[in-house]
Amino acid sequence: GAIPATVAIVNGKIMVGLSEDEIKLLGDAIVSKPIKTSRRDMPYVVSNKLNGGTTVCGTLIVAHKAGLPIFATGGIGGVHRGAHKTFDISADLLELGKCSVAVISSGVKSILDIPKTLEYLETQGVFVATFGDTNEFPAFYSRISGSKAPYCVETAMKAASIIKCNRNLDMRSGMLFAVPVPVEYAIDPETMNHVIEEALREVKDIALIKNNAKTAADIAVALAELELVEEKFSARGKRVDSNSLEDLKGRP
C-alpha cells in the first residue's frame, strides 16, 4: 500500500522515484559508472551530469527536501572501529542529526563500533529504537549486538505515532528504527564476530605485506646500486671500501 520512491542521480538529475529502466541502468556499473554520492559529492555529480548511487547521507538530504518522512535501507554507516585513531565516522550519522526523516534499517553495519555509534547518535539528538518487543539493538545480519537501544517499538502504528509527533514538534532531527533480521536468516553473534575479527586481521595482514614489499623493493634498489658501484671499481682493479660507497656513487 506504500508508493516506492527510489532515490538516485541519473545523468545529473536528482531523482525521487526511478523507472524500472533507470534502476537497471544504475545496476549496470560498466555502462552507468555510478559514483557513490554523499553530501560532499552531490555538487560534482550533478554539475558533471553523472550517475550517482546516493549513500544514506545523500538519500537523507534528498528525502528531507522532497518531504518524504520515511526512508528504508539495509544498514547505516557509523563510527568505525579504531575511530579514536582514524576519526573515521560516517557522514550518515551527522545527516541523521539534521534531517527530519525516519530511517528504517537493520541497525548499523556489523563491522562498525556499535556502542560508539549509538553514543554518537545520542549526541546528535537522534531518536533510536529497536522495532520489536525488546530493545536489543541488531547488528545487520545478526539479531544481537550486545548493545541496547534506548527504546523498543512493537507495532507500525506506534512507530508512525512517534514519527508524526517528531514532525509536529518540528524537532528537525532524524530517527532510526532498527529492525532485526528475520530469525530464519540471522547469523548468531559469535559467528559474526569471528568473521569480522578474521576480516580485520586479514586487512592488517595485507597492509603488513604491502609494507614488507615496499621495504624489500627499497632494499633491492639499494643492493643494485651497491653492486653497480662495486662492478665499476672492480673493473678498474681498485679495492672498494663499503663505508665510502655513498661518496663514490657520483663518480664516473
Side-chain angles (χ1 to χ4, degrees):
I3 300 172
T6 303
V7 172
I9 300 174
V10 181
N11 297 324
K13 292 183 179 180
I14 298 173
M15 310 288 285
V16 180
L18 300 183
S19 68
E20 186 175 346
D21 287 342
E22 287 165 338
I23 291 175
K24 287 181 178 178
L25 171 67
L26 288 175
D28 189 339
I30 296 175
V31 175
S32 62
K33 297 180 174 61
I35 293 175
K36 181 180 178 182
T37 307
S38 187
R39 172 181 280 272
R40 67 172 188 178
D41 312 291
M42 207 164 285
Y44 177 85
V45 175
V46 172
S47 65
N48 285 284
K49 295 180 170 53
L50 302 174
N51 297 312
T54 51
T55 63
V56 169
C57 171
T59 307
L60 276 168
I61 293 170
V62 177
H64 180 62
K65 290 183 179 292
L68 301 179
I70 296 172
F71 157 43
T73 186
I76 68 169
V79 178
H80 285 248
R81 301 187 187 199
H84 62 289
K85 296 180 180 178
T86 64
F87 290 90
D88 194 347
I89 300 172
S90 172
D92 296 354
L93 304 186
L94 289 167
E95 214 58 54
L96 266 167
K98 299 176 184 176
C99 296
S100 184
V101 177
V103 176
I104 316 299
S105 80
S106 296
V108 299
K109 293 163 187 172
S110 309
I111 200 168
L112 302 173
D113 189 320
I114 293 175
K116 285 187 175 63
T117 297
L118 291 172
E119 287 288 346
Y120 199 91
L121 286 169
E122 180 184 359
T123 300
Q124 292 295 312
V126 177
F127 171 88
V128 178
T130 299
F131 191 83
D133 57 4
T134 170
N135 66 341
E136 177 70 38
F137 193 79
F140 212 51
Y141 293 115
S142 175
R143 294 173 61 87
I144 299 171
S145 70
S147 297
K148 305 294 183 183
Y151 306 100
C152 67
V153 178
E154 297 182 30
T155 68
M157 184 55 70
K158 288 181 179 179
S161 177
I162 296 169
I163 294 169
K164 186 175 184 298
C165 189
N166 186 70
R167 292 165 68 83
N168 289 344
L169 291 171
D170 195 24
M171 298 301 290
R172 302 186 184 185
S173 56
M175 316 181 81
L176 176 63
F177 292 87
V179 185
V181 63
V183 175
E184 60 269 30
Y185 300 115
I187 298 176
D188 72 89
E190 286 190 13
T191 300
M192 176 60 68
N193 288 331
H194 174 75
V195 171
I196 291 171
E197 292 299 331
E198 184 63 30
L200 292 173
R201 279 194 295 273
E202 287 179 6
V203 168
K204 290 179 181 177
D205 288 345
I206 290 170
L208 180 147
I209 292 167
K210 285 175 67 177
N211 188 60
N212 288 351
K214 179 184 181 302
T215 303
D218 291 341
I219 294 171
V221 170
L223 177 61
E225 291 177 354
L226 286 175
E227 291 176 342
L228 180 62
V229 172
E230 185 174 22
E231 183 181 333
K232 285 182 178 180
F233 280 88
S234 295
R236 292 162 61 177
K238 295 184 179 179
R239 179 177 177 273
V240 180
D241 182 355
S242 61
N243 293 326
S244 61
L245 288 178
E246 289 298 321
D247 297 331
L248 298 174
K249 276 186 186 178
R251 300 181 187 179

